[in-house]
Amino acid sequence: TVAAGTYSGNLTISKGIALRSVAGPATTILIGTGGAAVKAESNGVEITGFTIRNPSGTQGFYAKNRSQLLVSGNVFETIGTAQAAPSDAVCGVMVWCTSTAVDTVVIRDNVMRLIESKATTKSAHGVWIGDSTGSADLTGLLIQSNAISQVTSARGAYGIVIGHARPPANTG
């Protein structure tokens, strides 16, 4: 559990853990300093009850090829708003699935607002799941009861994007 307070810096979670705010998002604030404010580098990560801001970064929460994720009861706000030319898409929550099967991802009861990409070549998303060239299964996905607003970009602004393509098996 995490006590109320304002915490500055990016957080990398390298083992399965439940990270929960004691007092909730109104008083437990994580402020990222670029890239992803919270990055899951392990399966079995839960983050609940925080306000997550990342004005000079590109993601509030990011996981690549990870399973058993729970992102709930958070406020993702002010993501990318101070970055003139982001190098990646700007997202409140990004679960990127490329070459590894991903299972059991739950994103629910979050607020996502003020997510902005100022670049003409990069879009903005409340939630982005998958990868257009993903080659493995994506199963057990639940996106439920999230409030998404004020997502803006000159390239394209989206609330929820599920973009995943699995090519047919090569049967020789």
Side-chain angles (χ1 to χ4, degrees), residues 17-136:
I17 189 170
L19 191 62
R20 297 182 185 126
S21 162
V22 173
T27 58
T28 312
I29 302 165
L30 305 176
I31 302 174
T33 55
V38 178
K39 185 176 185 179
E41 291 189 343
S42 177
N43 295 331
V45 171
E46 173 188 332
I47 184 159
T48 303
F50 295 87
T51 288
I52 299 172
R53 299 178 183 142
N54 198 4
S56 60
T58 50
Q59 291 95 29
F61 177 87
Y62 173 85
K64 181 178 180 183
N65 297 326
R66 300 296 172 197
S67 295
Q68 293 86 44
L69 302 174
L70 174 60
V71 180
S72 68
N74 301 291
V75 175
F76 294 93
E77 65 183 11
T78 320
I79 310 293
T81 56
Q83 191 172 153
S87 59
D88 202 354
V90 178
C91 307
V93 174
M94 181 178 194
V95 179
W96 198 24
C97 314
T98 57
S99 59
T100 301
V102 171
D103 183 39
T104 315
V105 174
V106 177
I107 302 165
R108 69 172 179 228
D109 302 318
N110 298 288
V111 173
M112 298 174 203
R113 61 183 174 224
L114 298 170
I115 299 167
E116 179 180 13
S117 174
K118 292 181 177 148
T120 58
T121 59
K122 301 296 177 183
S123 54
H125 311 261
V127 177
W128 182 7
I129 306 293
D131 182 61
S132 60
T133 61
S135 61

